[in-house]
C-alpha cells in the first residue's frame, strides 16, 4: 500500500474486555470497560447498539494507533490525511451492509477526522465484550428524560445544570474516560452534582477505552466524538429514548481557524453542525426511526455558558471542571497546562464572566494570560486567538463571511432560514470577539499601570506591552501587535482530486490537479532547501488562492447584505 493507506482487520481472538486490530504486521489492543452499562443497561442493548459501540471503538483505536506524521516535518504535513479501510465483524450484517448506512458513516467520519474512511462489514463470530447476564437492569434508577454527553468540562457542566434546573429533566450523563487522569475529576464532579440535586434525577454511565502496551501514536483523536456519540446513542436506545445532547458553545463548534497550527482536522470538528447532522442521519438509519442529535448551546459563547452556570447557582462547580487538551502533561497540582488553546479559552471566558475567583490560577501550570509562552507555536496560537477575536469584534457581516469561508459553508447545516442563521453566526462571533478583547485590554491596562507584572513572552507581553515599569511614560509603553499577514492554507484531498483553500473556496478538476502538482514540487523543494523554487510556487499558489477568495467574498458579501446584519 502507498504511504498513508492502511487496511485494518478488526476483531479476532482476544480477551473479553479488549478490542483487537491488525494494522499491517502490527497487533494493537485496547481495553474497553463499560462501567454501569454492564450492571444497569447491558441486557437492554440491542444487537445493532452493540455493533455501533464496537465500530466506534475500532475507529477510535485505529485513529489513535496510526500516526499522521509530524507537523514540522520536511513534507509539511503531507501525511496528515490517512486512507483507512476497516474490516469489521458485526452482529447485524443485514443493517450495516446497506449502502446508505455505509455511505453516511464514511462521509461523516471523513469530515470529522479529515481522513478517508472505508468500511467492509463481515458477520461476527465473537463479541468484543461480554454478553449480558440475565436479570440486570435499571431497577433502582428512575428512567432519565434525556441523555447528555458529559466530558467534565465547563460546557457540559452548564448543560447538566440547564437540563436539571431550566428543563426540570432527569438526566443520564454518559462519560468517556479517555484518560485515568480525568477519571477521578469526572467522578468527583458527578458526585457533587448528585449531592446538590435529587439522587434519582442523575444517572451516570462510563466508558473506559484505552490503548494498551503504549501503542498510541497519534494524539489528535479527532474521532473521539463519534465514540462518545455512539455510546450515548446506545444508552438512549436502551432507555427507550431517541435523542442525545452535546453541550458545546457555538464558537468552538464552528471552530474557525485562528492560526496556521489549526488547519483542517487540526481544528477539531467534534460538534460541528455537519457532524451533528451526520450522527443524526446514521442513528436514524441504523435504529430505523427518527433520531435527534442536538447542541442546545450552539448560539452561546463560552463566556455566556459560564454566566449561565453562575445564574443556575453552579459557580462552585467551576473549579472541579477540566478543559485542558494536553491531559498527559497535567498533574494533580496543575490539572490545566495553561498553554493550549482550550486552557486559554477557558480562562478568558471565566475572566470575562467576572468569576476568576472560582477558577484558582494555581490550577494552571502556566498562567494563560500572564505566564511565559516559550514555545513558538504556543506564542503563535495565543496571538492568533486574540487577533482573530479582535477581527470578529470589528468586522461587519459582509467582511466576516468574506474572510471566513468556513462560516459561509456552515450555514447549510444550521436550522432555520438562511438569513437568520447568518445573523446568528455573525452575532455569536462578534460577541465572542468583544469579550476576548475586553479581557486582554484589561490585562494590558493593568500591566501598564503597574498592577501586575507578566512574563515577557506572555500573552499580554506579546499582544500589547513594549516595555513596562521602565522610565518611559506608560501610555508610550503600549504597542499594538502588528496584524498577522494573510496566509493561504491548502487542504489537499488526493483521493477526490480536490483542494480546499481554507477560508476561501474549493478548487476541483484542472485547477485542483494543477495545485496538487505544484504542492508536490513545493514539498520536494522545501525538503531539499531550494529557496527559489519555494518562492515561485508560493506566488503561483497565492494567485490561485486570491482568485478563490474573491469568488467566495462576492458570494458571502451578498449573503451578509441580505441577512441585514452588516
Amino acid at each position: 500500500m502507498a504511504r498513508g493507506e492502511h487496511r485494518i482487520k478488526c476483531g479476532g481472538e482476544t480477551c473479553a474486555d479488549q478490542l483487537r486490530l491488525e494494522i499491517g504486521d502490527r497487533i494493537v489492543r485496547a481495553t474497553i470497560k463499560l462501567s454501569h452499562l454492564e450492571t444497569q443497561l447491558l441486557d437492554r442493548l440491542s444487537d445493532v447498539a452493540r455493533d455501533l459501540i464496537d465500530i466506534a471503538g475500532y475507529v477510535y483505536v485505529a485513529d489513535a494507533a496510526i500516526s499522521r506524521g509530524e507537523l514540522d516535518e520536511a513534507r509539511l504535513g503531507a501525511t496528515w490525511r490517512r486512507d483507512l479501510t476497516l474490516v469489521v465483524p458485526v452482529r447485524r450484517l443485514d443493517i450495516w451492509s446497506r449502502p446508505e448506512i455505509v455511505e453516511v458513516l464514511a462521509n461523516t467520519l471523513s469530515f470529522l477526522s479529515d481522513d478517508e474512511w472505508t468500511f467492509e462489514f463481515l458477520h461476527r463470530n465473537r463479541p468484543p465484550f461480554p454478553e449480558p447476564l440475565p436479570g440486570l437492569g435499571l431497577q433502582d434508577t428512575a428512567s432519565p428524560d434525556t441523555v447528555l454527553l458529559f466530558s467534565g468540562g465547563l460546557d457540559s457542566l452548564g448543560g447538566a445544570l440547564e437540563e436539571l434546573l431550566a428543563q426540570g429533566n432527569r438526566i443520564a450523563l454518559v462519560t468517556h474516560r479517555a484518560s485515568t487522569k480525568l477519571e477521578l475529576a469526572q467522578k468527583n464532579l458527578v458526585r457533587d452534582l448528585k449531592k446538590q440535586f435529587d439522587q434519582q434525577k442523575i444517572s451516570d454511565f462510563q466508558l473506559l477505552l484505552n490503548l494498551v502496551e503504549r501503542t498510541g501514536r497519534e494524539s489528535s483523536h479527532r474521532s473521539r466524538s463519534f465514540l462518545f456519540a455512539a455510546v450515548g446513542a446506545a444508552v438512549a436506545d436502551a432507555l427507550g429514548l431517541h435523542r442525545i445532547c452535546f453541550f458545546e458553545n457555538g464558537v468552538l463548534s464552528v471552530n474557525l481557524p485562528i492560526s496556521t497550527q489549526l488547519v483542517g482536522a487540526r481544528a477539531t470538528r467534534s460538534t460541528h453542525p455537519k457532524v451533528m447532522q451526520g450522527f443524526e442521519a446514521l442513528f436514524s438509519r441504523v435504529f430505523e426511526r427518527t433520531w435527534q442529535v442536538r447542541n442546545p448551546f450552539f448560539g452561546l459563547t463560552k463566556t455566556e455558558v459560564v454566566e449561565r452556570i453562575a445564574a443556575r447557582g453552579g459557580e462552585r462547580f467551576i473549579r472541579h471542571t477540566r478543559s485542558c487538551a494536553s491531559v498527559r502533561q497535567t498533574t494533580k497540582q496543575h490539572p490545566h497546562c495553561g498553554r493550549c488553546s482550550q486552557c486559554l479559552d477557558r480562562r478568558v471566558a471565566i475572566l470575562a464572566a467576572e468569576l476568576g475567583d472560582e477558577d484558582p490560577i494555581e490550577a494552571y501550570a502556566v498562567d494563560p494570560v500572564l505566564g511565559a509562552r516559550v514555545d513558538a507555536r504556543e506564542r503563535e496560537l495565543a496571538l492568533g486567538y486574540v487577533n482573530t477575536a479582535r477581527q470578529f469584534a470589528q468586522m461587519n457581516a459582509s467582511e466576516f463571511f468574506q474572510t471566513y469561508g468556513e462560516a459561509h459553508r456552515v450555514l447549510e447545516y444550521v436550522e432555520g432560514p438562511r438569513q437568520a442563521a447568518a445573523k446568528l453566526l455573525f452575532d455569536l462571533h462578534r460577541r465572542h470577539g468583544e469579550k476576548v478583547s475586553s479581557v486582554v485590554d484589561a490585562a494590558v491596562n493593568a500591566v501598564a499601570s503597574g498592577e501586575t507584572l507578566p512574563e515577557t513572552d506572555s500573552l499580554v507581553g506579546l499582544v500589547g506591552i513594549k516595555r513596562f515599569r521602565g522610565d518611559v511614560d506608560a501610555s508610550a509603553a503600549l504597542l499594538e501587535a502588528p496584524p498577522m499577514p494573510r496566509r493561504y492554507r491548502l487542504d489537499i484531498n488526493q483521493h477526490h482530486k480536490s483542494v480546499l483553500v481554507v477560508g476561501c473556496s474549493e478548487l476541483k478538476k484542472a485547477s485542483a490537479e494543477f495545485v496538487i502538482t505544484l504542492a508536490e514540487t513545493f514539498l520536494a523543494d522545501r525538503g531539499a532547501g531550494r529557496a527559489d523554487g519555494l518562492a515561485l510556487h508560493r506566488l503561483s499558489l497565492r494567485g490561485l488562492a486570491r482568485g478563490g477568495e474573491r469568488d467566495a467574498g462576492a458570494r458571502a458579501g451578498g449573503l451578509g447584505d441580505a441577512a441585514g446584519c452588516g
Side-chain angles (χ1 to χ4, degrees):
M1 287 188 178
R3 184 178 179 183
E5 294 183 4
H6 305 272
R7 184 177 177 83
I8 303 153
K9 296 181 180 179
C10 304
E13 295 298 322
T14 184
C15 300
D17 62 348
Q18 284 190 357
L19 298 176
R20 180 182 184 275
L21 295 84
E22 295 181 21
I23 305 175
D25 58 358
R26 185 162 62 107
I27 303 298
V28 175
R29 290 184 174 87
T31 300
I32 180 169
K33 294 182 179 180
L34 301 168
S35 175
H36 285 207
L37 285 179
E38 294 177 278
T39 58
Q40 295 182 29
L41 279 183
L42 201 53
D43 61 328
R44 296 189 182 187
L45 290 179
S46 64
D47 282 346
V48 73
R50 295 166 188 267
D51 285 338
L52 180 61
I53 294 176
D54 292 351
I55 293 166
Y58 288 129
V59 166
Y60 179 82
V61 175
D63 183 14
I66 300 173
S67 175
R68 296 180 183 273
E70 296 298 326
L71 178 64
D72 56 354
E73 67 176 7
R75 298 191 65 200
L76 197 61
T79 59
W80 173 259
R81 181 183 282 108
R82 302 159 300 184
D83 195 329
L84 308 171
T85 298
L86 265 64
V87 182
V88 185
V90 292
R91 299 165 183 80
R92 292 297 305 274
L93 183 59
D94 59 317
I95 289 179
W96 292 103
S97 61
R98 294 175 185 171
E100 67 273 16
I101 289 178
V102 176
E103 181 180 8
V104 72
L105 173 63
N107 289 345
T108 300
L109 287 175
S110 293
F111 180 79
L112 173 63
S113 74
D114 205 32
D115 296 299
E116 290 295 330
W117 291 89
T118 305
F119 291 88
E120 297 176 11
F121 293 111
L122 309 172
H123 181 70
R124 168 198 154 277
N125 296 315
R126 174 176 181 162
F129 56 85
E131 294 294 342
L133 299 175
L136 298 180
L138 286 171
Q139 296 113 357
D140 300 325
T141 306
S143 182
D145 301 305
T146 187
V147 172
L148 189 159
L149 288 306
F150 191 76
S151 68
L154 280 172
D155 291 12
S156 61
L157 168 63
L161 296 175
E162 196 76 9
E163 290 291 324
L164 287 165
L165 296 174
Q167 305 300 325
N169 285 332
R170 296 184 300 273
I171 61 175
L173 302 177
V174 175
T175 301
H176 170 217
R177 291 182 283 139
S179 167
T180 53
K181 288 187 176 183
L182 290 177
E183 179 179 354
L184 182 59
Q186 291 171 334
K187 284 185 175 180
N188 288 341
L189 187 54
V190 172
R191 179 202 63 202
D192 290 345
L193 286 171
K194 288 183 175 181
K195 285 182 179 179
Q196 177 77 16
F197 302 97
D198 184 350
Q199 183 85 7
Q200 294 296 312
K201 295 194 71 173
I202 303 176
S203 306
D204 64 293
F205 306 93
Q206 302 96 34
L207 168 72
L208 173 64
L209 197 159
N210 279 335
L211 273 69
V212 298
E213 301 172 0
R214 299 184 180 274
T215 51
R217 298 184 177 184
E218 176 56 45
S219 61
S220 58
H221 296 312
R222 295 309 182 197
S223 65
R224 179 172 178 253
S225 69
F226 176 50
L227 177 64
F228 215 179
V231 176
V235 169
D237 182 65
L239 293 171
L241 303 173
H242 300 90
R243 182 177 188 268
I244 61 173
C245 288
F246 286 85
F247 281 88
E248 191 157 82
N249 70 84
V251 176
L252 184 57
S253 289
V254 176
N255 215 1
L256 300 177
I258 62 172
S259 79
T260 55
Q261 299 176 52
L262 298 177
V263 179
R266 296 188 192 279
T268 177
R269 296 166 176 168
S270 60
T271 57
H272 190 283
K274 182 175 180 178
V275 171
M276 296 291 97
Q277 281 196 18
F279 290 162
E280 197 169 80
L282 176 64
F283 300 156
S284 296
R285 285 169 170 78
V286 299
F287 291 112
E288 300 180 314
R289 65 176 297 172
T290 301
W291 266 76
Q292 292 183 336
V293 179
R294 294 290 185 262
N295 177 11
F297 280 177
F298 183 75
L300 301 179
T301 67
K302 199 171 192 74
T303 298
E304 290 162 351
V305 170
V306 175
E307 291 171 342
R308 285 203 178 195
I309 291 173
R312 307 295 182 204
E315 60 266 34
R316 72 182 185 87
F317 297 119
I318 289 176
R319 67 185 59 223
H320 302 300
T321 60
R322 298 290 181 264
S323 304
C324 186
S326 304
V327 177
R328 293 182 181 178
Q329 300 178 24
T330 61
T331 63
K332 290 183 178 179
Q333 182 181 1
H334 303 301
H336 291 99
C337 73
R339 299 184 180 93
C340 69
S341 60
Q342 290 178 221
C343 282
L344 177 57
D345 197 36
R346 169 194 174 92
R347 184 62 179 173
V348 168
I350 291 173
L351 292 175
E354 300 181 356
L355 290 169
D357 291 342
E358 303 295 339
D359 184 45
I361 196 60
E362 293 77 17
Y364 295 86
V366 172
D367 186 320
V369 177
L370 301 176
R373 294 177 175 271
V374 179
D375 187 272
R377 295 182 193 174
E378 294 173 3
R379 293 197 295 271
E380 182 184 352
L381 185 148
L383 279 174
Y385 176 82
V386 173
N387 288 344
T388 303
R390 288 197 188 281
Q391 285 185 335
F392 292 158
Q394 296 167 3
M395 289 175 172
N396 60 35
S398 296
E399 293 169 335
F400 173 74
F401 285 105
Q402 181 175 351
T403 303
Y404 295 98
E406 292 89 339
H408 184 80
R409 285 185 287 273
V410 166
L411 296 178
E412 63 183 290
Y413 305 105
V414 179
E415 290 186 353
R418 193 173 180 83
Q419 292 182 356
K423 188 176 189 310
L424 181 151
L425 204 60
F426 167 68
D427 286 343
L428 171 72
H429 286 84
R430 176 184 52 78
R431 297 196 308 274
H432 167 73
E434 290 173 349
K435 288 297 185 180
V436 172
S437 297
S438 69
V439 169
V440 174
D441 290 343
V444 169
N445 291 336
V447 173
S449 63
E451 295 178 24
T452 57
L453 185 63
E455 298 286 347
T456 304
D457 288 334
S458 68
L459 172 60
V460 170
L462 293 168
V463 169
I465 302 302
K466 174 73 171 179
R467 286 176 291 173
F468 47 88
R469 292 193 175 182
D471 56 0
V472 297
D473 182 72
S475 61
L478 297 179
L479 176 66
E480 290 294 332
M484 296 183 69
R486 180 63 169 148
R487 296 183 179 181
Y488 298 96
R489 298 178 293 274
L490 303 181
D491 191 354
I492 296 175
N493 188 323
Q494 287 273 15
H495 183 75
H496 291 299
K497 298 297 181 183
S498 67
V499 177
L500 175 65
V501 184
V502 178
C504 300
S505 64
E506 186 173 13
L507 304 177
K508 295 183 178 180
K509 298 182 179 179
S511 296
E513 292 180 1
F514 175 61
V515 171
I516 290 171
T517 301
L518 278 177
E520 290 174 348
T521 310
F522 172 88
L523 293 172
D525 285 346
R526 183 180 186 275
R530 294 189 287 268
D532 291 343
L534 287 179
L536 175 62
H537 295 311
R538 283 196 184 103
L539 288 173
S540 301
L541 293 172
R542 187 171 298 166
L544 283 170
R546 285 176 175 168
E549 183 180 33
R550 286 193 295 271
D551 293 342
R555 293 192 300 273
L559 173 64
D561 294 339
C565 52

